[in-house]
Amino acid sequence: MQTTSATQTATTPPAIPAKKPGISTDFDTFLKMLTTQLDNQDPLNPVDSADYAVQLATFSGVEQQTKTNQLLEALTGQFGVSGISQLAGWVGKEARSTAPVNFTGAPIAVTYAPNIQADKTVLVVKNLKGEVVSRETVPVSAAAYQWLGANAAGDPLPSGVYALSLESYKGADLLDTVGVESYARIIEARNGPAGATLVVAGGVEITADRITALRSPAVP
């Protein structure tokens, strides 16, 4: 809200931004210029009619391309709104993915897929700096595993976001490293240049294509 002091005698009205000329205005201007050119050409050396045809065709093509681009932008906006409307139903549900987990002191159920040739699997835990804070041997199994959130010394880790991965070994040879999945509650859905993004507890962002399952939260 604008305020004025008692000593002011006049108020300058706010500036109104100039409206960007549209295609129709540009085309009218082009026709006026073309008509002026025709009126003022040298009658002894007139401009070739083919040149006028080329100018008209060129402007018409630009006009059509601009309208097409505007239509595509409008459609993209509609698709974005539609996508968000569909994702709105996901908010409040629990999504399973390999995204980092938000550790708050309570055990977290995780699942992983060991290499079929593995005889040993190690759960690797990294903090947000990418530093390894824990490595623990876990069962060579696809069954759910309760990660307690402890460091290499067995002491509880501070609350925070951690990235989990699984290393599969056969003897001393590392076979592969894969992501570890867990469930987290979706608290927000966003749409951006990279597509739909979901935000889960702890502020962890997940693109929609990384989610492998959805479920309703367990009743306390």
Side-chain angles (χ1 to χ4, degrees):
M1 181 175 65
Q2 185 179 9
T3 58
T4 56
S5 63
T7 58
Q8 286 181 306
T9 57
T11 301
T12 302
I16 300 176
K19 184 178 180 181
K20 186 177 179 180
I23 283 292
S24 58
T25 303
D26 293 338
F27 191 66
D28 290 342
T29 301
F30 173 77
L31 290 178
K32 290 179 181 178
M33 293 175 63
L34 188 61
T35 302
T36 302
Q37 184 179 0
L38 286 170
D39 291 340
N40 294 279
Q41 67 177 329
D42 185 353
L44 299 178
N45 185 28
V47 178
D48 191 342
S49 59
D51 292 339
Y52 287 115
V54 170
Q55 293 181 46
L56 284 170
T58 301
F59 190 89
S60 179
V62 173
E63 178 189 27
Q64 186 61 39
Q65 185 61 49
T66 303
K67 288 183 176 180
T68 300
N69 291 342
Q70 292 173 346
L71 177 60
L72 288 175
E73 290 177 359
L75 289 175
T76 300
Q78 292 177 4
F79 289 151
V81 172
S82 176
I84 285 294
S85 298
Q86 294 176 2
L87 290 176
W90 292 22
V91 176
K93 294 186 178 298
E94 293 181 340
R96 187 179 69 191
S97 73
T98 57
V101 299
N102 180 41
F103 178 65
T104 58
I108 298 176
V110 300
T111 56
Y112 46 77
N115 189 291
I116 58 174
Q117 300 180 7
D119 54 24
K120 177 185 176 182
T121 47
V122 176
L123 183 66
V124 181
V125 182
K126 296 181 180 180
N127 59 21
L128 288 178
K129 297 180 180 180
E131 302 168 337
V132 176
V133 296
S134 175
R135 293 175 58 87
E136 63 177 287
T137 300
V138 294
V140 184
S141 169
Y145 176 76
Q146 292 291 322
W147 178 59
L148 301 180
N151 61 17
D155 300 321
L157 289 168
S159 296
V161 176
Y162 296 92
L164 278 59
S165 60
L166 184 80
E167 296 179 345
S168 293
Y169 291 86
K170 184 175 183 180
D173 297 329
L174 175 63
L175 299 175
D176 59 28
T177 302
V178 297
V180 173
E181 292 191 327
S182 62
Y183 278 96
R185 181 173 294 197
I186 300 171
I187 59 176
E188 184 180 352
R190 299 175 182 168
N191 198 23
T197 300
L198 300 168
V199 183
V200 298
V204 177
E205 297 185 1
I206 313 170
T207 54
D209 58 355
R210 292 181 59 191
I211 293 176
T212 58
L214 282 175
R215 71 182 184 187
S216 297
V219 179

